[in-house]
Amino acid sequence: MNEKFEHLIERAEQLISRIESILPQPLAAPADWNASIAWRYRRRSSGHGTLEPVRHVATMALDDLKEIDQQKEKIERNTRQFVQGKPANNVLLTGARGTGKSSLIRACLHAYAPQGLRLIEVDKAELVDLPDIIEVVSQRPEKFIIFSDDLSFDEGEAGYKALKSILDGSVAASTPNVLIYATSNRRHLLPEYMKDNLTYTHTDDGEVHPGEVIEEKISLSERFGLWVSFYPFTQAEYLAIVGQWLSHFGVSAQDVEAARPEALVWALERGSRSGRVAFQFARDYAGRAAS
């Protein structure tokens, strides 16, 4: 009888171990924080969340980014304050596509990584796990930027409420070694419709008050302490960026000048004069010139 009972206990323990292996586990800290300066948060199909090191971080220098000097000054100043342990704000970078929003964050990472700055990239679908991520890094000596690129939400998404609570509204105090940097093409991060304007109210003297729908849509973006806006480039600014990248790839000054007409045609075909398009043209032109 005892032998059968012991066998039953053993089978039960094996079953419990199997069940525990497929249940979501608390987020564990990486074994080696020195594996990279940048990390990605990923939630596996089993529900397990992990912080994975980015083995090859795209290099970007602040001096490589042209025609966004005002935006660069604001972001770099805020990042420098953060790394130095001074008060700093969560940042929302909004505006035209391809104008250097995410590149500017990567450039700041490389500039301040020697001083202990690290970055964790989190997709918007996984923002619901932000409290777990912050808990894991809260006792680390490094400074962490939690970065969410191309951020926008549809009505009712869970990540919207989670991010809103973390930014300002949770009963937990903010963690001094964590900031959130997000980029978006939408200023208020949510789709806006003409019907939303119907919720505005007016007083007898003409004062306008936003309705509840508008208030809800602007409430998230307002919780970012620093807003930085990016605008489409003029033709002259676009050509200046093309010239900078061509020089970066080793193209001579004479060939840079000769490439201007091709750069304009390239932008016309792409329907955009963004910094991204300028970089893509420069890479193509430099590759052809080297062959």
Side-chain angles (χ1 to χ4, degrees), residues 4-63:
K4 291 184 178 180
F5 182 73
E6 290 176 0
H7 179 68
L8 179 62
I9 293 297
E10 183 180 351
R11 293 290 301 273
E13 289 176 346
Q14 293 174 353
L15 178 60
I16 291 172
S17 297
R18 291 181 180 179
I19 294 175
E20 288 178 342
S21 67
I22 62 175
L23 289 176
Q25 302 293 319
L27 178 62
D32 182 12
W33 280 107
N34 295 318
S36 179
I37 61 173
W39 302 77
R40 288 193 185 97
Y41 177 75
R42 292 289 182 266
R43 194 188 315 130
R44 301 302 182 187
S45 57
S46 62
H48 292 47
T50 60
L51 286 171
E52 303 172 351
V54 179
R55 300 296 183 183
H56 304 285
V57 183
T59 57
M60 182 68 65
L62 288 166
D63 289 341

Side-chain angles (χ1 to χ4, degrees), residues 23-168:
L23 289 176
Q25 302 293 319
L27 178 62
D32 182 12
W33 280 107
N34 295 318
S36 179
I37 61 173
W39 302 77
R40 288 193 185 97
Y41 177 75
R42 292 289 182 266
R43 194 188 315 130
R44 301 302 182 187
S45 57
S46 62
H48 292 47
T50 60
L51 286 171
E52 303 172 351
V54 179
R55 300 296 183 183
H56 304 285
V57 183
T59 57
M60 182 68 65
L62 288 166
D63 289 341
D64 289 335
L65 302 174
K66 304 298 184 183
E67 306 301 330
I68 53 170
D69 292 340
Q70 291 184 355
Q71 295 91 335
K72 188 193 306 184
E73 189 277 330
K74 291 179 181 178
I75 299 298
E76 185 183 8
R77 171 174 48 79
N78 191 75
T79 306
R80 183 171 60 252
Q81 292 172 191
F82 176 49
V83 170
Q84 293 175 350
K86 301 176 182 178
N89 279 305
N90 299 301
V91 183
L92 177 62
L93 301 85
T94 64
R97 68 186 189 276
T99 48
K101 298 186 292 295
S102 57
S103 295
L104 184 49
I105 295 174
R106 291 199 301 271
C108 283
L109 171 64
H110 282 282
Y112 291 100
Q115 300 179 36
L117 183 64
R118 299 294 182 264
L119 182 142
I120 299 175
E121 185 177 11
V122 182
D123 186 75
K124 75 166 186 176
E126 294 160 349
L127 287 174
V128 292
D129 295 335
L130 268 180
D132 296 333
I133 299 171
I134 293 174
E135 181 65 26
V136 165
V137 304
S138 62
Q139 302 302 317
R140 294 292 306 173
E142 300 91 349
K143 302 291 186 179
F144 290 88
I145 288 176
I146 294 181
F147 173 48
S148 191
D149 193 23
D150 198 18
L151 188 62
S152 64
F153 296 99
D154 294 322
E155 302 285 354
E157 284 195 63
Y160 174 85
K161 296 292 186 182
L163 180 58
K164 186 176 176 181
S165 177
I166 287 294
L167 286 171
D168 183 16

